[in-house]
Amino acid sequence: MTRMSKDEYAASLNRMNRRVFVMGELVRNPAEHPLIRPSFNACAMTYELAEQREHADLMLATSNLTGEKVNRFTHLHQSTSDLVAKVKMQRLLGQMTGCCFQRCVGMDAFNAVDSVTYEMDRVLGTEYHARFRRYLQHVQERDLVVDGAMTDAKGNRRLRPSKQADPDMFVHIIERRSDGIVVRGAKLHQTGALNSHEILVMPTQALTEGDRDYAVSFAIPADAPGVTMICGRQPSDTRKQEGGSLDIGNRQFGGHEAVIILENVFVPWERVFMAGELAYSGLLVERFAGYHRQSYGGCKVGVGDVLIGAVQSLAEFQGTETASHIRDKIVEMVHLNETLYACGLACSAEGKATASGTYLIDPLLANVCKLNVTRFPFEIARLAQDIAGGLLVTLPSEKDFANPDTGPLLAKYLRGAAEYSTLDRCRMLRLVENLTLGPGAAAYLTESLHGAGSPQAQRIMLGRLADLEAKKSLARRLAGMDEGPATA
Ligand code: SF4
Ligand code: FE
């Protein structure tokens, strides 16, 4: 059983032979690339905190597969306490990094695939669950980062996978062999792909007859032949290449997403967890989405804590912290942020064991959590910009501060309250800019909207899960409708 240190994690990625493109160039070791290094640092924090005694309860868990202590990101939740600890761990990591630390998609995929393969095997007599558990033990013993990959390219949204003009718009099996399957397609928006050892692929939607080859789930090493990763851009990303420390906002950490392309990739049967079982594709999507909708009630809250801290500091630097409307706005930000946390904890505390023994969140409350996440970070960001003021988007470059002609003038005229330095004020402005307009906003805002499914997906689930008949009968009873006609 090996748990890796940050350095060992870096070395393990470096040993891989992945095909990765960043800004049009093939990059041999992405973790060393200035655009990717911050996201490596963020993912590496999941290893660093696991080594610290004070965080052991949150970061480590006892594996139900081996009885060993493993990183919680590789763990199958065995109780509601595990589900609660997961959310608390994610808040902690959001606080420590101020960004997406990427490793949750793998954890959420493990837990979803575990329970679905168990239920599938029971009904269909297949053998996926034992296979999956052997694979997960391999992951736990090596302390790997696994990218849970769900979102297909999807092409024309009106057409089912097999009816697309290009059959590769959804990942599918193109060949079944005695020793495994060959797959082709692409997965989009893949969080942390460049920092991952493995990719765990799942279908993107419920499927019907005719789309059997699209009902496929499997795991591959990130450097398997035929895998290409192309890193996505983020707002102001090239500031990371400017070599400074101020304009970047979040000095050490960031996230990234990538397109993962699978060109005729061979997967041995031992790593295949679904191959044609149509009826279970929707269930797998629903379980994964449910866990990831819970996840946002932790990670986004931790980032919200950083943002609230940044604007409270800015208010003090600017001398506005005692103004009643500023205090009120800060309180509103806290209220919104803690509401998200309350939802993350609630769907965890109300979780239940599935047939495999792995615990699942309460799906109704997890969807409420995520639907709030599609709105509240935007309002928190709006309030943060309100408090920060227009300098947030008019602040000169750090090169102007370094220039002997302009630096002293800027230091003089951009000073706020005398007891704080201009530099500290600028640092905090850049952090707020990063989180609400820059690379941090990719995860804190747009991903809050669309990650783990866009808001309409949560509305559909709420409509389906709300027991309106039960609510109607409550109302009928109190209204006296079930007691026959009124006599008065
Ligand atoms: Fe984890 Fe949040 Fe990043 Fe998703 S967005 S991988 S839940 S940190
Ligand atoms: Fe996400």
Side-chain angles (χ1 to χ4, degrees):
M1 181 70 55
T2 318
R3 282 205 311 275
M4 283 195 275
S5 66
K6 179 180 181 178
D7 289 346
E8 288 164 340
Y9 168 45
S12 68
L13 290 177
N14 200 9
R15 279 195 298 275
M16 298 182 75
N17 187 23
R18 296 172 299 166
R19 190 159 185 262
V20 172
F21 289 85
V22 181
M23 300 277 275
E25 287 180 2
L26 189 62
V27 173
R28 165 69 197 93
N29 183 10
E32 298 298 330
H33 192 286
L35 284 182
I36 308 304
R37 186 73 191 175
S39 77
F40 165 79
N41 289 337
C43 197
M45 190 59 85
T46 68
Y47 289 94
E48 288 182 275
L49 291 188
E51 290 189 300
Q52 295 173 12
R53 190 186 297 259
E54 67 267 36
H55 299 308
D57 285 351
L58 291 186
M59 299 301 304
L60 301 180
T62 303
S63 168
N64 61 308
L65 305 182
T66 62
E68 300 278 346
K69 285 280 183 200
V70 295
N71 191 301
R72 188 176 293 283
F73 281 96
T74 67
H75 180 55
L76 296 172
H77 314 302
Q78 295 301 298
S79 62
T80 54
S81 303
D82 269 348
L83 289 167
V84 167
K86 170 196 167 185
V87 171
K88 292 185 175 180
M89 170 182 76
Q90 289 168 313
R91 184 173 190 169
L92 173 68
L93 276 151
Q95 292 171 339
M96 299 298 284
T97 62
C99 69
C100 166
F101 37 88
Q102 309 146 48
R103 209 172 168 184
C104 326
V105 280
M107 167 174 57
D108 292 343
F110 300 147
N111 281 273
V113 173
D114 185 78
S115 63
V116 172
T117 50
Y118 184 90
E119 290 162 39
M120 189 160 58
D121 286 358
R122 247 188 357 183
V123 174
L124 304 179
T126 44
E127 295 172 357
Y128 294 118
H129 184 69
R131 252 183 222 177
F132 173 71
R133 287 212 162 176
R134 280 196 294 277
Y135 170 70
L136 185 60
Q137 191 172 329
H138 163 90
V139 169
Q140 288 184 345
E141 287 174 353
R142 286 159 188 77
D143 202 8
L144 301 178
V145 176
V146 178
D147 199 16
M150 179 159 278
T151 310
D152 283 304
K154 297 205 283 263
N156 182 342
R157 308 297 199 269
R158 280 197 302 273
L159 301 175
R160 289 166 36 196
S162 58
K163 300 295 179 201
Q164 297 282 331
D166 182 339
D168 300 338
M169 287 298 105
F170 292 74
V171 171
H172 62 128
I173 302 170
I174 59 169
E175 189 186 348
R176 288 169 189 263
R177 297 175 13 186
S178 58
D179 52 349
I181 57 175
V182 180
V183 296
R184 190 190 293 151
K187 293 289 186 185
L188 271 51
H189 324 305
Q190 290 312 307
T191 299
L194 276 49
N195 294 322
S196 299
H197 303 98
E198 295 262 336
I199 304 163
L200 174 48
V201 169
M202 298 162 283
T204 205
Q205 63 187 43
L207 298 164
T208 50
E209 202 50 63
D211 291 334
R212 198 163 285 279
D213 287 341
Y214 294 86
V216 62
S217 176
F218 55 87
I220 46 174
D223 59 356
V227 176
T228 300
M229 302 192 205
I230 308 166
C231 190
R233 293 211 67 170
Q234 292 180 334
S236 312
D237 49 7
T238 46
R239 287 195 197 181
K240 293 172 187 154
Q241 295 177 301
E242 291 174 5
S245 67
L246 174 61
D247 289 355
I248 195 169
N250 187 342
R251 296 180 70 173
Q252 289 185 58
F253 302 108
H256 78 258
E257 277 78 30
V259 178
I260 298 180
I261 296 169
L262 309 174
E263 292 178 293
N264 307 344
V265 177
F266 172 71
V267 190
W269 284 116
E270 197 50 33
R271 283 170 161 260
V272 177
F273 313 125
M274 178 184 285
E277 290 75 12
L278 285 171
Y280 290 86
S281 57
L283 185 64
L284 183 49
V285 174
E286 202 175 292
R287 294 257 166 102
F288 173 76
Y291 283 120
H292 212 52
R293 289 169 194 177
Q294 168 210 27
S295 286
Y296 286 13
C299 77
K300 305 300 179 200
V301 180
V303 177
D305 288 329
V306 174
L307 185 53
I308 293 167
V311 290
Q312 173 65 32
S313 304
L314 263 184
E316 291 167 16
F317 296 168
Q318 293 166 179
T320 55
E321 80 278 17
T322 52
S324 63
H325 73 98
I326 297 289
R327 286 158 75 156
D328 199 44
K329 283 165 188 160
I330 297 274
V331 166
E332 179 67 8
M333 294 168 80
V334 170
H335 165 68
L336 292 167
N337 204 41
E338 298 299 334
T339 302
L340 299 180
Y341 190 47
C343 291
L345 293 179
C347 70
S348 306
E350 288 290 294
K352 300 266 183 314
T354 63
S356 78
T358 295
Y359 269 65
L360 178 67
I361 43 70
D362 179 274
L364 179 70
L365 294 176
N367 277 278
V368 170
C369 179
K370 172 66 206 325
L371 194 54
N372 283 337
V373 168
T374 66
R375 299 175 184 158
F376 294 0
F378 285 86
E379 180 61 8
I380 293 170
R382 190 186 71 80
L383 290 165
Q385 292 193 358
D386 183 344
I387 294 169
L391 197 55
L392 192 63
V393 290
T394 62
L395 187 65
S397 150
E398 83 180 278
K399 292 190 173 123
D400 294 308
F401 283 90
N403 183 313
D405 288 334
T406 52
L409 294 170
L410 290 173
K412 171 181 164 75
Y413 286 108
L414 297 185
R415 187 95 185 229
E419 58 269 43
Y420 302 105
S421 75
T422 306
L423 181 62
D424 282 349
R425 184 185 183 199
C426 294
R427 283 199 196 291
M428 216 49 93
L429 281 164
R430 288 296 184 207
L431 179 57
V432 175
E433 182 196 33
N434 175 297
L435 292 173
T436 65
L437 295 160
Y444 187 58
L445 298 180
T446 311
E447 198 206 8
S448 289
L449 194 60
H450 292 297
S454 306
Q456 188 59 18
Q458 288 104 67
R459 291 186 170 281
I460 290 168
M461 286 302 290
L462 292 187
R464 202 192 300 164
L465 294 168
D467 189 347
L468 293 180
E469 288 307 316
K471 295 184 199 311
K472 270 167 57 185
S473 76
L474 294 174
R476 289 175 68 91
R477 188 174 66 80
L478 288 185
M481 287 175 63
D482 293 335
E483 294 164 8
T487 50

